[in-house]
Amino acid sequence: MPSLRDAVRGRILFGGDYNPEQWPEEVWEDDVRLMKEAGVNSVTLGVFSWARIEPRPGAREFGWLDRLMDLMHSHGIGVVLATPTASPPPWMGARHPETLPRAEDGSIVWYGSRQQFCASSPVYRRYAAALTEDLAARYAGHPALTMWHINNEYCTHCWCDETAAHFRRWLHERYRTLDALNEAWGTAFWSQRYDAWPEILPPRKAQYMKNPAQVLDFKRFTSDALKECYTAERDIVARHTPDIPVTTNFMPLWSGQDAWAWSAEEDVVSVDIYPDPRDAWGGQYNAMIADMTRSQAAGPWMLMEQAAGAVNWRPVNRPKPEGLNRLWSLQAVARGADAVCYFQWRQSRQGSEKFHSGMLGHAGEHGRAFRETRRLGAELAAIGPAVSGAGVSARVAVLHDWDAWWAGAQEGLPSALLDYAEVIRHWHRALWESGTATDFARPDADLGGYAVVVVPHLYLLDDAAIDNLVAYVRGGGRLVCGFFSGVADRDDRIRPGGMDARLRELFGIGILHEWWPLEADEAVECDGFRGTLWSEELEAAEDAEVLATYRDGELAGLPAVLRRGRATYVSTLPEPAALRSLLAGVVREAGVEPVLAGLPEGVEAVRRGELLFLLHHRREMVTVAVPGTYEDLLTGRSVVDRIALGRYGVAVLRSTAP
Ligand code: GAL
């Protein structure tokens, strides 16, 4: 099986999406000159080139791409070649309107933007496969080709009739009989019983709340339907070039795609990360997505896209201040990335993204963006041989699961304020701030290698996952679980008692009487901290240890945090400092040390292979105590026992002790 290693070959890939079809050919020469100057060794071509390659049905215009592939090769730049199937040309929608997605209310999602295809459309799939076939045949064996990039950020949803038929086939595979489907969907409720398969629809616009089990299955189906599009194209390119690795780029922590299931189908796991430069916790977000992607890849991963400066899709789009692009790029490398790439190489002058930054911005080669690009390219080249391929090891895992996310993000819950991604982020932040190396894992994964497992919030847990957690604790592991977890089974049916009985026993919960969600601006006093978002009316089992009780309100005196042996349950969302110290306590008890003790506020330490990365997320000068003698691979200087870091400073240290 080919892997990222085959494309990387002992370096770090550096480059980005390159859209030369937006520019006259004279500019291409200038592009390669500047790419060489910046140390770019990889470009992603073709992502949105469908209309250029196939201007009318069945036509093939490869000449321009031939010239580009040759141009890249002659300058030693590898090409991540995309199948351009994310954005069908207007002719497809005009001639085959059935390829256009329908929204929940039946309205058509038109061409004129991008990604307007129905994943279930046989016509779309046929055209996509034919183009992929010809592209793969043409460039198989081209020396510039280093990787395949299938489509781009698969994310379409469709509720059309073709989708309905496909959904029914998917459901038939899953349930076999209508009785089983009716049972799983709880259709006795509101007279929703189905009498024949053709009656079943995707959950379209409805009068009131939709059947949650149907919505859950539709989300599962949509992820699978898109995955079929991906694997169909992957199989075509793999047939032509079995030694070239294949990827498709994920959106980070995005609910539309079960990235655990998808990453199992990829040779290279890649992701696009766009932290908000104005977010004081942007560095933590970057770290979290890096940890998640590394865990999906089970090793080095590819940062396929990030922005050199501003994006253009937030309400207010500020550029990254000087140094932040470098800091977040090196942070991704510290956390396992072997590729640091961007959307996009040269900033566009036309189209919807003309205000989105590029590695080479409108200001040109003398602008700050390009100056920073050049510096980073040189630094990545310097550290590449020592870093590339090395692993990051963690003894703490955070559990994350799409089924639980999908089921728990519906209408009709105790609170509409519960935001799964935000809860995950809150818990990861607590570990990040305490300097604990962290992986992500799925709830049914083999957890044996972890000293501590953390469940921020998994509303749905199937029986296998529950057995897995119980066995993990029995086997000596420490489990910390957040509120509103283990509530529903795989069909989104509430477990008797409101929470699975095995889990209640594990944590020492006698009775779970009620869920008490909190208002957005409400907090509940607990012993030693304040809880937000959620609280629960719990009764502890006799042998449970109550670590903190609620202090005020209706739940005063009841347990807020309780524990039985090595299993701890947290029934609210503790404020950050409290959650940090709670988790740090468990981690310490498990014998897991932070990467580096005694760090100044805002400094992150990460070990990758034999290297120690120090990353300073703030602007003031700090001194970091780092006992021993090292070489800083970024400066070549030697470091003895301490190092000063300025604004957004980074050091990559290799021990020189004999
Ligand atoms: C990504 C996408 C790119 C570009 C970028 C802008 O979602 O894959 O094509 O649109 O966002 O931030």
Side-chain angles (χ1 to χ4, degrees):
M1 281 261 293
S3 71
L4 182 54
R5 190 179 294 262
D6 300 307
V8 161
R9 299 198 316 275
R11 305 162 300 168
I12 291 173
L13 291 187
F14 181 58
D17 282 19
Y18 179 35
N19 297 301
E21 63 270 42
Q22 296 174 14
W23 299 91
E25 295 205 14
E26 314 77 90
V27 178
W28 301 359
E29 289 295 334
D30 204 42
D31 283 329
V32 278
R33 175 181 67 83
L34 293 172
M35 284 175 189
K36 291 309 288 177
E37 208 178 302
V40 165
N41 55 25
S42 176
V43 293
T44 303
L45 279 176
V47 177
F48 293 111
S49 305
W50 196 335
R52 180 73 193 257
I53 298 174
E54 187 174 9
R56 62 205 64 84
R60 293 290 182 263
E61 290 195 1
F62 282 126
W64 66 280
L65 194 51
D66 292 350
R67 290 196 290 287
L68 277 159
M69 294 289 287
D70 294 348
L71 182 67
M72 292 303 134
H73 178 59
S74 66
H75 288 84
I77 298 169
V79 174
V80 176
L81 188 56
T83 62
T85 51
S87 200
W91 57 253
M92 190 177 313
R95 291 177 189 227
H96 304 286
E98 73 277 21
T99 62
L100 297 170
R102 295 254 177 182
E104 284 173 86
D105 65 358
S107 59
I108 296 174
V109 177
W110 288 99
Y111 47 89
S113 176
R114 67 179 186 187
Q115 284 154 325
Q116 72 290 350
F117 65 88
C118 162
S120 301
S121 161
V123 177
Y124 164 76
R125 287 185 179 205
R126 204 167 51 241
Y127 275 112
L131 183 54
T132 301
E133 187 75 47
D134 291 354
L135 190 76
R138 188 162 191 103
Y139 298 108
H142 194 289
L145 178 67
T146 55
M147 199 187 299
W148 288 107
H149 175 301
I150 305 294
N151 202 285
N152 188 67
E153 293 187 340
Y154 276 102
C155 63
T156 60
H157 277 66
C158 178
W159 284 259
C160 76
D161 288 346
E162 194 67 64
T163 301
H166 191 193
F167 185 39
R168 289 192 282 268
R169 293 196 296 277
W170 185 94
L171 290 167
H172 193 267
E173 279 282 300
R174 186 174 174 89
Y175 295 109
R176 295 288 165 195
T177 69
L178 262 187
D179 283 350
L181 179 141
N182 277 310
E183 171 56 31
W185 284 12
T187 56
F189 185 78
W190 282 351
S191 180
Q192 291 173 351
R193 185 185 163 278
Y194 292 96
D195 193 48
W197 287 96
E199 294 166 3
I200 299 171
L201 294 174
R204 291 181 177 158
K205 184 171 162 54
Q207 183 65 22
Y208 188 43
M209 288 187 224
K210 299 175 195 176
N211 181 318
Q214 179 187 4
V215 172
L216 171 59
D217 270 347
F218 187 63
K219 291 184 176 175
R220 289 171 169 144
F221 157 79
T222 298
S223 176
D224 284 357
L226 287 165
K227 181 149 61 66
E228 282 174 16
C229 293
Y230 162 72
T231 53
E233 293 186 26
R234 177 206 60 191
D235 291 349
I236 293 170
V237 300
R239 181 159 40 74
H240 287 275
T241 55
D243 299 329
I244 300 287
V246 185
T247 190
T248 182
N249 50 338
F250 292 148
M251 285 195 266
L253 196 52
W254 185 67
S255 94
Q257 247 173 331
D258 177 348
W260 291 122
W262 281 66
S263 50
E265 304 286 348
E266 295 182 283
D267 301 319
V268 172
V269 180
S270 63
V271 72
D272 305 341
I273 317 184
Y274 292 95
D276 187 345
R278 293 193 306 166
D279 177 356
W281 295 97
Q284 179 269 324
Y285 175 80
N286 205 43
M288 175 179 72
I289 302 303
D291 290 347
M292 203 173 269
T293 311
R294 183 187 66 249
S295 304
Q296 284 152 8
W301 55 282
M302 176 165 190
L303 173 52
M304 183 66 85
E305 289 181 22
Q306 60 173 341
V311 300
N312 69 323
W313 39 260
R314 293 195 171 97
V316 174
N317 298 296
R318 286 258 277 267
K320 287 177 175 164
E322 175 133 28
L324 193 58
N325 171 25
R326 169 179 183 261
L327 171 68
W328 286 349
S329 298
L330 290 167
Q331 185 191 29
V333 173
R335 291 180 179 263
D338 270 359
V340 173
C341 300
Y342 292 80
F343 176 84
Q344 61 177 332
W345 160 251
R346 185 187 279 272
Q347 184 167 17
S348 301
R349 289 183 57 204
Q350 290 180 293
S352 302
E353 294 183 322
K354 57 187 180 295
F355 290 111
H356 191 294
S357 59
M359 299 167 82
L360 178 63
H362 291 317
E365 62 187 288
H366 303 296
R368 172 164 72 84
F370 189 67
R371 175 163 35 88
E372 291 197 68
T373 295
R374 222 171 19 210
R375 176 178 182 196
L376 182 61
E379 292 185 326
L380 293 176
I383 66 171
V387 181
S388 166
V392 176
S393 64
R395 304 217 43 228
V396 177
V398 176
L399 301 193
H400 164 46
D401 178 55
W402 269 264
D403 264 15
W405 189 356
W406 291 329
Q410 299 213 25
E411 304 169 290
L413 296 170
S415 170
L417 300 179
L418 194 46
D419 178 336
Y420 176 90
E422 279 305 308
V423 175
I424 291 255
R425 188 169 174 190
H426 192 92
W427 282 70
H428 181 275
R429 172 176 156 188
L431 292 161
W432 184 72
E433 282 189 283
S434 63
T436 309
T438 303
D439 281 347
F440 280 83
R442 50 194 300 168
D444 57 356
D446 176 2
L447 302 171
Y450 295 110
V452 177
V453 166
V454 167
V455 174
H457 157 53
L458 290 173
Y459 159 77
L460 178 155
L461 280 170
D462 67 14
D463 289 342
I466 289 171
D467 290 344
N468 196 35
L469 295 183
V470 172
Y472 168 72
V473 175
R474 291 226 175 97
R478 286 180 158 72
L479 178 66
V480 186
C481 179
F483 60 84
F484 205 44
S485 292
V487 172
D489 70 10
R490 71 191 286 262
D491 299 325
D492 195 14
R493 190 184 287 104
I494 303 299
R495 303 252 181 201
M499 179 182 189
D500 183 83
R502 288 159 292 181
L503 288 183
R504 275 187 277 128
E505 195 194 325
L506 191 68
F507 298 119
I509 298 172
I511 302 178
L512 166 54
H513 290 287
E514 298 286 352
W515 296 292
W516 284 86
L518 304 176
E519 297 290 349
D521 54 359
E522 196 181 354
V524 59
E525 283 300 328
C526 306
D527 294 327
F529 68 92
R530 285 147 60 91
T532 57
L533 192 67
W534 196 268
S535 58
E536 291 179 357
E537 186 177 346
L538 297 176
E539 211 170 293
E542 271 187 9
D543 55 353
E545 188 188 341
V546 175
L547 301 182
T549 56
Y550 290 107
R551 282 277 195 78
D552 63 5
E554 194 65 30
L555 306 186
L558 296 180
V561 181
L562 70 161
R563 145 183 193 156
R564 187 156 174 259
R566 290 181 302 274
T568 305
Y569 185 72
V570 186
S571 69
T572 181
L573 188 64
E575 57 195 336
L579 189 58
R580 183 173 68 214
S581 79
L582 188 148
L583 288 177
V586 178
V587 166
R588 210 177 312 117
E589 229 175 61
V592 178
E593 297 294 329
V595 174
L596 189 66
L599 288 172
E601 288 267 309
V603 176
E604 172 186 359
V606 185
R607 254 179 226 293
R608 183 168 180 199
E610 53 162 3
L611 303 178
L612 176 65
F613 284 72
L614 300 174
L615 303 134
H616 181 26
H617 293 269
R618 299 193 183 169
R619 291 163 179 242
E620 72 284 358
M621 195 62 133
V622 291
T623 301
V624 183
V626 46
T629 56
Y630 303 86
E631 181 196 357
D632 181 350
L633 299 187
L634 293 175
T635 59
R637 289 202 202 107
S638 80
V639 172
V640 182
D641 292 336
R642 67 181 57 80
I643 183 170
L645 294 176
R647 164 191 168 126
Y648 301 143
V650 183
V652 181
L653 304 181
R654 180 161 56 192
S655 171
T656 50

